[in-house]
């Protein structure tokens, strides 16, 4: 059969990394990315981009750990290469601090990040409101540069990218053999997934180059993540709130909470605000389907619903989606050789 034509819908971190994994595992495919928005206008652009996984109740822990490990290994290699500054990837050390000792003192990802250990009493003195803490080194993506780096790699391999809003995946059946749905929160409307809901997040980007370590309150709500040029201050988690407008009272609240964790931030300047809708679901939808209408078939692979942790697991889920695309291709080749008999 001719080279399979694959459309990836979505150009956030999930769509771009999935397209790249498909090209890497199936070089004979013709891959096109279709998206109504590209960087800098995706949810992925608003993210803080730190690699600390969020536990998803509907996915076995060993699978979440594997996705995280694959992502960590991939980005660690980039951070250790000449590509690091263009890709916006760097190692970062810091602390996750808790007001009370958490049930799980050692999280499932502790042996994937580097140098994980409990904080010493001397370190905890920096955080008088907290009684327990974990110190480790992880990775951080500066999100817009990383998305542009992924786009550049895709273009270099001949992947086409078009701005297009897809109303229904079926509309692509006459042009493509396989459609990969990486629409993030857009999948709520695109495939009518009622289990997918937004968790609104507002963050601030500030100039505070003296802040070098990440600090995350264990409740996950307040965090300080230094990037290459700007420090991200967070955040909020507002379930089923679809508003993309920044809220000034929330901006003040985030700033105050972060100054309480790291008082030197009171001198931070040049505050900008970003809002994004985390595509949340009880588990990532990583699934292969065959759609059929009037005897015409379309292979569909879903890869969306990464919630608060898309950057932390993107490479792992992209590899799995590419494997599912490989299964679709094997199915297509099987049916085309049966048709010739
Ligand atoms: P998106 O980035 O939303 O991409 C979806 C793409 O699909 C877009 O290009 C969109 O235009 C396109 N699309 C949608 N519908 C259609 C359609 N009908 N037709 C065509 N195109 C369509 N994760 C971490 O791991 N670490 C963090 O530190 C972190 N911080 C975060 C902070 C905030 C404030 C927020 C909001 C999120 C954070 N996340 C973090 C989560 C992370 O941002 C998401 O999990 C991730 O960005 C989801 O990526 P995505 O590609 O699925 O979605």
């Amino acid at each position: 059969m001719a080279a399979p034509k694959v459309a990836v819908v979505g150009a956030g971190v999930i769509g771009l990394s999935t397209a790249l994994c498909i090209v890497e595992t199936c070089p004979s495919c013709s891959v096109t990315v279709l998206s109504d928005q590209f960087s800098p206008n995706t949810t992925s652009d608003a993210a803080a981009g730190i690699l600390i996984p969020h536990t998803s109740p509907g996915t076995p822990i060993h699978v979440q750990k594997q996705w995280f490990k694959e992502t960590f290994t991939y980005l660690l290699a980039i951070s250790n290469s000449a590509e690091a500054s263009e890709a916006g990837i760097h190692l970062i050390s810091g602390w996750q601090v808790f007001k009370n000792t958490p049930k799980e003192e050692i999280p499932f990802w502790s042996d994937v990040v580097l140098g994980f250990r409990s904080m010493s009493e001397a370190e905890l003195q920096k955080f008088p409101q907290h009684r327990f803490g974990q110190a480790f080194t992880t990775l951080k993506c500066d999100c817009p540069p990383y998305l542009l780096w992924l786009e550049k790699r895709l273009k270099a391999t001949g992947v086409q990218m078009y701005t297009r809003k897809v109303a229904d995946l079926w509309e692509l059946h006459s042009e493509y053999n396989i459609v990969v749905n990486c629409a993030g929160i857009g999948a709520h409307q695109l495939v009518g997934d009622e289990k997918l809901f937004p968790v609104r997040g507002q963050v601030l980007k500030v100039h505070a180059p003296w802040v070098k370590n990440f600090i995350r309150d264990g409740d996950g709500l307040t965090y300080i993540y230094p990037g290459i040029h700007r420090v991200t201050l967070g955040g909020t988690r507002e379930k089923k709130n679809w508003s993309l407008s920044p809220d000034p009272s929330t901006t003040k609240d985030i700033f105050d909470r972060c100054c309480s964790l790291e008082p030197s931030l009171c001198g931070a300047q040049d505050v900008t605000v970003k809002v994004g809708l985390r595509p949340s679901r009880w588990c990532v939808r990583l699934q292969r389907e065959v759609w059929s209408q009037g005897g015409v078939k379309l292979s569909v692979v879903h890869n969306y619903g990464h919630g608060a942790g898309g950057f932390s697991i993107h490479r792992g889920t992209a590899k799995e989606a590419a494997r599912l695309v490989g299964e679709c291709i094997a199915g297509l080749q099987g049916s085309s050789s049966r048709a010739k008999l």
Side-chain angles (χ1 to χ4, degrees):
M1 88 180 252
K5 294 179 89 177
V6 182
V8 176
V9 178
V13 70
I14 302 304
L16 297 177
S17 56
T18 299
L20 193 56
C21 281
I22 296 169
V23 171
E24 286 167 6
T25 53
C26 176
S28 64
C29 284
S30 153
V31 179
T32 304
V33 175
L34 305 172
S35 191
D36 61 345
Q37 298 290 345
F38 285 81
S39 184
N41 299 318
T42 69
T43 302
S44 300
D45 287 280
I50 194 115
L51 265 71
I52 301 178
H54 286 253
T55 311
S56 171
T59 305
I61 288 293
H62 74 273
V63 175
Q64 296 184 54
K65 183 168 178 177
Q66 186 190 331
W67 291 341
F68 180 55
K69 196 172 180 175
E70 283 170 349
T71 308
F72 197 92
T73 305
Y74 178 71
L75 293 182
L76 186 62
I78 298 174
S79 79
N80 207 20
S81 76
E83 300 282 305
S85 84
E86 190 185 344
I89 309 294
H90 61 101
L91 283 164
I92 183 161
S93 300
W95 305 283
Q96 173 157 245
V97 289
F98 297 81
K99 295 203 170 81
N100 295 301
T101 308
K103 261 191 253 157
E104 214 183 27
E105 283 187 37
I106 302 187
F108 72 84
W109 42 264
S110 61
D111 59 349
V112 178
V113 297
L114 307 177
F116 183 95
R117 61 180 172 78
S118 293
M119 283 168 71
S120 66
E121 285 301 321
E123 283 172 304
L124 274 169
Q125 278 175 18
K126 178 170 165 55
F127 305 100
Q129 299 161 31
H130 296 78
R131 289 171 40 188
F132 177 83
Q134 300 155 339
F136 54 94
T137 298
T138 187
L139 288 149
K140 186 178 171 317
C141 305
D142 271 15
C143 303
Y146 183 53
L147 297 174
L148 290 181
W149 181 82
L150 288 170
E151 281 186 21
K152 190 172 157 185
R153 286 182 72 98
L154 287 170
K155 284 178 190 154
T157 59
V159 169
Q160 305 283 322
M161 297 197 211
Y162 299 111
T163 301
R164 171 167 167 183
K165 185 167 173 79
V166 179
D168 179 342
L169 295 180
W170 184 257
E171 78 187 45
L172 303 174
H173 81 272
S174 56
E175 296 163 79
Y176 301 96
N177 307 106
I178 301 162
V179 172
V180 188
N181 171 14
C182 302
I185 195 64
H188 182 83
Q189 194 178 9
L190 184 60
V191 289
D193 186 343
E194 294 292 331
K195 293 186 195 133
L196 182 70
F197 58 93
V199 176
R200 180 182 181 278
Q202 181 165 324
V203 289
L204 319 182
K205 308 272 174 181
V206 302
H207 183 69
W210 61 88
V211 178
K212 303 288 186 199
N213 293 94
F214 76 80
I215 305 170
R216 179 178 195 267
D217 194 305
D219 66 10
L221 205 58
T222 305
Y223 50 81
I224 298 161
Y225 296 145
I228 294 174
H229 302 293
R230 312 270 288 162
V231 183
T232 304
L233 310 184
T236 65
R237 283 200 201 148
E238 299 154 73
K239 269 190 186 175
K240 300 194 178 172
N241 182 341
W242 288 88
S243 169
L244 281 169
S245 306
D247 174 49
S249 66
T250 305
T251 299
K252 182 176 176 332
D253 179 50
I254 293 170
F255 195 72
D256 290 348
R257 279 189 275 129
C258 289
C259 286
S260 159
L261 261 185
E262 174 53 67
S264 74
L265 277 170
C266 292
Q269 290 185 335
D270 191 15
V271 180
T272 53
V273 186
K274 288 244 180 194
V275 176
L277 304 179
R278 301 175 180 94
S280 300
R281 218 174 168 271
W282 87 304
C283 66
V284 176
R285 186 173 183 198
L286 251 173
Q287 189 186 12
R288 177 165 79 88
E289 293 182 321
V290 179
W291 291 9
S292 178
Q293 273 183 35
V296 181
K297 289 186 177 171
L298 177 67
S299 295
V300 175
V301 172
H302 301 282
N303 184 14
Y304 67 85
H306 296 67
F311 275 86
S312 305
I313 55 171
H314 71 276
R315 180 74 188 183
T317 57
K319 279 177 78 170
E320 176 59 13
R323 194 187 66 74
L324 294 175
V325 168
E327 284 184 7
C328 296
I329 293 168
L332 290 170
Q333 284 165 344
S335 47
S336 95
S337 41
R338 273 194 301 279
K340 281 188 199 139
L341 291 176

